[in-house]
Amino acid sequence: MDDNNTRSLAGGVVASNKKYIIIILAALALANIIPNLGSQQLKLNQYLRADDNKEVQQSNRRRDEEEASLIAIGDGKRRAFPSWAVVTQCSLYHTDCPNHLEFQDYPFPLPLATQSQQDDEGMAALANKTNEWIEEFKQRSDTDSDSHLIGYEFPAKVDDAIRQQCITSTQTLSVEDQLDKILSHLVPLKDTHNMIAFSMTDETYAKDMLHEVYEMNNDIVGFEGAFFFVAMDSYTANMACEFGYPVVAMPENDDLKKQVQSTKVFVSKLLVERGQSFLFYEMDVWFVRSPLRMLQQHMHEYDFLCSTHQWNPGELNIGFYAALANEGTINYFEDSLNIIEKNPLAHDQKIMHVVADDNTATLEDRTLEDHNNCGWCGHENVSFPAIKATNPIRVGLLDPHVVVSSLYPVPTEGTVALHTLADMPLKGPFGKEMVAKELGVWYGWGKATSKAGYYHREGSYRRYLFLENAGTRGGQSFVQSKGYHDERAFRRQIAVLATLAKVTNRILVLPQVLSDYHAQPLWIYLDLESLEKLGIVYRETNFASNKKSWYSHTTPFASVTQMAIVESSNEVQLLTGNQTTASADRIPVSSFTTGDPLSAFFAVAISHPQVKDSEALFVNLDHFQGGHIGSVGVQKLHDKLAWCAWGIGHGKKYNDKSATHLGSTNHCYGSGNAV
């Protein structure tokens, strides 16, 4: 593979600066930093009005946003973001990010200028209001009446007649007949060597990824109308039929490993025998751009093009490969399949590599040697003669930075796709999903088909909850004096956060963990299956820094509320900003009949008009580190959360692990214990 491949795939992507103009100005005005907020607001309102000339309007808007978002810092001017915006600007991996950006000081305690003077009548009215909030909190603790707001709006299902016709085909037709039927409806890409594409999946992957992969294929990969699934079980076949996705069902087999090892080679052989060129990619290959140009360019040179490993550019990774239909590829897949079926201990990827190498050796007139006791092929007992190809194929290996296949994938500007690997074949998909999400390559179904997809959400479906303890990058620190290496305090705080997500019907964005040496994701410690069982919807740590989740290209959230308990004044304080207004409030804990800070905090989060209507809620839970979780609801949830082995502190499991060295096998899903 020459260097032109990487160069031809590289594309300049300039990340535009994020603009939070009005929210920033409002926060600064509250802090008495910019006294002339009114004039700035008027200036911004001028370009928000309709303008007959849209191009002029957009140009003026960009200019005013740039000017308004700059504040004087020293002798020059730098962009200053609200403190909460650290989670939208700095991903888990970007530890240098705060060094390059300017963030405003954490806003609490609020300035005395914002303190409201209440007379006796006003305090009585406030007490009545807070009592109503407490009652709503108690009712909300026992119901999930609005939980649909943080759920999903799935793609439309096909009608029953079409679904049943599909299911009947998968249950009664042979694989060959199913394939012929599918091929009669697909439209190969004429400008890409008349190729189609397919992927294969079982229930464990289909549950979370079937919609993902189908929409990603249509939107990014480029094989819309030329793609099908191979289903390894009836669950997957039925799910594909339910949504009208083209599918070929394999006979179910108790030996999943054996079935998976032979299926991709078997289906590949069937396709080329039918004269059909194709691209195959596994369900855990995540595309950031289309491979079509690469295929158009390089399939003139090769009969078989395959990805490699990030750590070894000479070793095939069969998570991504393309083949032209000819006599050579028919022989190649047939030879590989025969060896795999005769050697149950063989590793399909190793066999395909060896057979490809024998084809190359034949082309290059090198001496062929039999493969005796081929431990590298999967086991020492695997032996087979050298393949003397009569129609040797031209094998191309992709640069390892083009399709990045690794436990710890490192994408570059030339990357087409990432293939998240585990330490052994057929490991469960959860860890691969989380790595893909944190790296920002998870597609996020619902982009064009739903108001409540994974990233794309609209209106009342956009309800998020973040942890924002002061100065901790949107996470929980274990190196501050308060809570230093305190595992119990950490678990208490997560229980409060999770309960708050549940009673406010918000999606919990997982906070990062600041350990002795690194920033880490919460999912290496918390068993997220226990969150799912409690009905709590969550997102990865880097969710907010991924622009796919943003309200608009330049604005992460339509409205934001920051909220904290300020011990010095014994108040719940909050600061809210949206695109047109900003306001602050402070509610004395003493105005609540319970006198319980946690109940007061929850009641404000549920019922305060500014808070409940905000798209994003950032909460400071530092006050509750000391064991203040008297709420029965919090304690019940705390007791149901499951955790894996503690990893912070000298000699502990994860103390020296950075986020970039946490792979798909480091998760805690399904392995934790309640404490």
Side-chain angles (χ1 to χ4, degrees), residues 546-565:
N546 188 334
K547 276 195 169 184
K548 288 187 286 189
S549 72
W550 283 21
Y551 173 76
S552 72
H553 181 67
T554 57
T555 306
F557 309 112
S559 55
V560 173
T561 291
Q562 293 168 277
M563 184 172 158
I565 282 190

Side-chain angles (χ1 to χ4, degrees), residues 47-185:
Y47 73 67
L48 290 173
R49 292 197 297 266
D51 193 317
D52 292 336
N53 189 330
K54 291 185 178 180
E55 292 185 4
V56 173
Q57 180 186 20
Q58 291 172 355
S59 176
N60 290 340
R61 180 179 300 181
R62 286 193 294 269
R63 181 199 63 202
D64 289 345
E65 284 177 340
E66 291 291 341
E67 292 177 359
S69 62
L70 295 173
I71 64 172
I73 303 292
D75 296 329
K77 288 185 175 182
R78 293 175 62 187
R79 185 177 305 283
F81 295 101
S83 61
W84 57 261
V86 68
V87 301
T88 67
Q89 305 303 308
C90 305
S91 81
L92 185 66
Y93 305 108
H94 298 159
T95 55
D96 64 334
C97 174
N99 302 331
H100 307 302
L101 300 174
E102 191 71 32
F103 293 93
Q104 297 170 21
D105 291 338
Y106 187 66
F108 304 119
L110 290 171
L112 292 177
T114 65
Q115 186 168 2
S116 59
Q117 303 297 323
Q118 298 273 12
D119 55 19
D120 291 344
E121 184 176 345
M123 289 301 294
L126 178 60
N128 289 335
K129 180 61 68 176
T130 56
N131 287 338
E132 292 176 10
W133 293 353
I134 286 291
E135 288 304 313
E136 186 174 354
F137 164 51
K138 291 178 180 177
Q139 294 175 11
R140 187 69 68 85
S141 298
D142 299 325
T143 182
D144 293 319
S145 59
D146 296 324
S147 61
H148 67 281
L149 294 178
I150 56 172
Y152 298 99
E153 184 181 87
F154 291 102
K157 298 178 180 180
V158 298
D159 64 48
D160 287 343
I162 295 175
R163 178 183 63 83
Q164 190 55 53
Q165 184 181 33
C166 173
I167 291 175
T168 300
S169 293
T170 63
Q171 293 177 346
T172 61
L173 298 181
S174 67
V175 173
E176 291 84 352
D177 287 345
Q178 290 180 66
L179 185 59
D180 289 337
K181 188 174 181 179
I182 289 290
L183 291 178
S184 70
H185 291 93

Side-chain angles (χ1 to χ4, degrees), residues 203-220:
E203 179 180 353
T204 59
Y205 282 80
K207 283 180 177 178
D208 289 337
M209 296 189 190
L210 202 70
H211 300 311
E212 288 281 324
V213 172
Y214 190 75
E215 291 191 20
M216 178 182 68
N217 175 80
N218 292 347
D219 185 40
I220 297 180

Side-chain angles (χ1 to χ4, degrees), residues 536-547:
I536 297 168
V537 180
Y538 59 84
R539 293 291 189 271
E540 68 275 10
T541 303
N542 288 337
F543 178 80
S545 63
N546 188 334
K547 276 195 169 184

Side-chain angles (χ1 to χ4, degrees), residues 595-656:
D596 171 27
L598 184 62
S599 296
F601 195 81
F602 275 33
V604 172
I606 292 171
S607 302
H608 193 291
Q610 294 171 213
V611 183
K612 71 179 182 180
D613 292 334
S614 285
E615 190 173 287
L617 174 60
F618 288 78
V619 294
N620 185 326
L621 300 182
D622 187 65
H623 179 77
F624 305 110
Q625 283 202 58
H628 305 292
I629 58 168
S631 166
V632 174
V634 176
Q635 188 62 55
K636 285 182 178 179
L637 188 144
H638 175 277
D639 295 341
K640 291 180 180 179
L641 290 180
W643 300 83
C644 286
W646 188 237
I648 295 176
H650 181 69
K652 297 293 185 180
K653 182 177 181 180
Y654 289 121
N655 204 46
D656 61 347

Side-chain angles (χ1 to χ4, degrees), residues 32-33 122 239 393 431 495 513 516 612 666:
N32 295 321
I33 296 175
M239 183 177 177
I393 60 172
V513 177
D516 289 359
K612 71 179 182 180
N666 297 119

